[in-house]
Amino acid sequence: MRIIVEDNYDKLSEKAAQIVAQKIRENPRIVLGLATGVTTIGLYKELGRMYKEEGLDFANVTTFNLDEYVGLAPDHPQSYNFAMNENLFYKINIPETNIFIPYGPVRNIEKHCQWYEKIIQEKGGIDFQIIGIGGNGHIGFNEPGSSFDSVTRVVDLDEKTIKDNARFFDSINDVPKQAMTMGISTIMNAKECFLLASGEHKAEIIEKALKGPVTTDVPASILQNHPNLIVILDKTAAKQN
Ligand code: GLP
């Protein structure tokens, strides 16, 4: 495990973007795994700038997002499809056909999840997986208790996740109760994992995830067993303030 600590969120975002850009330059056909949430917004903004100002080329990059809320259409402002379009995809030259993200309103959810898992394999697996961490240690929407063998599937959201994410919705009742998410085994099969965390509110869970026992109670703790893990934190998330 390699841990990088940056002074603040802006520096973390810049450094994270440099790392991702380097991966793309080394392998222009890279398959990236992407995460939503507020933590990755600065990274995506910087990648957009790098495309515009430095010609960072996404023409042959393929992306798979970790998760999506069940029922939210891509034009719903709180859907992860919407967030990815606004924060990254509309800002770079990635072809639409190279973008994969679970489709919220899909009728046959199980079949869709199986298809998602299969298409990841068909594209050769994920080379570099960007990951955020939930307040309860979730990765993607793999809530505490998720099996380490899990693959892409539909899950019920944890009470804490619903509460944490309520700030983005008009009311807590509007937060979807279910999501589709890559499984923990899907994530662990990525050749390299890149975990980002920022802010004091993430410090405790980061410590548990990186230094505590590997347990399904803290889904992110499994990343300790990943052979190629890079973690990037700001000082507050690293408890260095
Ligand atoms: C969300 C998403 C994750 C995300 C994580 C952290 O609920 N399901 O994919 O990485 O929680 O979110 P944030 O960066 O907003 O703290």
Side-chain angles (χ1 to χ4, degrees):
M1 182 192 317
R2 178 177 156 217
I3 302 182
I4 303 166
V5 180
E6 294 290 334
D7 280 347
N8 54 44
Y9 177 71
D10 288 347
K11 294 239 168 73
L12 174 151
S13 301
E14 270 170 37
K15 179 71 181 176
Q18 282 162 15
I19 291 171
V20 175
Q22 180 63 24
K23 297 286 167 189
I24 296 171
R25 288 191 194 104
E26 280 167 19
N27 174 13
R29 306 191 66 82
I30 195 166
V31 178
L32 290 178
L34 301 178
T36 43
V38 293
T39 313
T40 46
I41 289 178
L43 154 65
Y44 295 151
K45 192 171 174 205
E46 181 63 9
L47 288 175
R49 189 201 63 76
M50 287 171 149
Y51 161 68
K52 203 170 157 201
E53 292 174 16
E54 298 169 15
L56 181 64
D57 187 10
F58 292 81
N60 295 305
V61 171
T62 297
T63 63
F64 284 92
N65 265 82
L66 280 169
D67 47 15
E68 176 60 290
Y69 289 114
V70 167
L72 296 198
D75 62 354
H76 188 293
Q78 301 312 334
S79 75
Y80 287 169
N81 274 268
F82 188 93
M84 287 310 304
N85 285 336
E86 294 293 314
N87 293 325
L88 184 65
F89 299 144
Y90 289 166
K91 310 270 166 74
I92 58 176
N93 66 332
I94 188 166
E96 221 175 314
T97 47
N98 289 10
I99 297 171
F100 296 90
I101 176 163
Y103 180 65
V106 71
R107 288 223 196 125
N108 191 333
I109 300 179
E110 264 173 43
K111 212 167 159 192
H112 187 57
C113 291
Q114 284 163 11
W115 167 82
Y116 202 70
E117 195 67 31
K118 197 168 133 240
I119 196 95
I120 293 173
Q121 310 305 331
E122 281 176 16
K123 297 286 174 186
I126 292 166
D127 293 308
F128 190 82
Q129 175 68 57
I130 295 166
I131 309 170
I133 186 168
N136 61 1
H138 73 211
I139 47 176
F141 268 130
N142 292 284
E143 302 285 28
S146 298
S147 161
F148 288 156
D149 295 329
S150 54
V151 294
T152 305
R153 69 205 186 287
V154 61
V155 293
D156 293 331
L157 297 182
D158 208 72
E159 282 290 299
K160 174 157 173 55
T161 301
I162 292 172
K163 274 192 203 138
D164 279 358
N165 291 357
R167 65 202 143 112
F168 302 114
F169 292 82
D170 290 338
S171 115
I172 192 161
N173 299 324
D174 294 338
V175 185
K177 306 286 179 286
Q178 289 189 313
M180 287 172 273
T181 181
M182 280 187 202
I184 293 189
S185 131
T186 322
I187 295 170
M188 288 297 282
N189 280 334
K191 296 179 190 81
E192 200 165 5
C193 285
F194 188 38
L195 176 67
L196 284 76
S198 160
E200 210 178 335
H201 63 299
K202 293 286 173 74
E204 206 178 313
I205 195 67
I206 275 291
E207 187 158 289
K208 275 193 196 164
L210 302 182
K211 294 186 186 152
V214 174
T215 163
T216 53
D217 292 344
V218 182
S221 64
I222 189 67
L223 295 171
Q224 292 178 35
N225 291 350
H226 196 283
N228 290 304
L229 172 67
I230 308 174
V231 182
I232 184 160
L233 309 170
D234 60 12
K235 276 188 172 174
T236 49
K239 276 199 176 159
Q240 287 187 6
N241 256 5

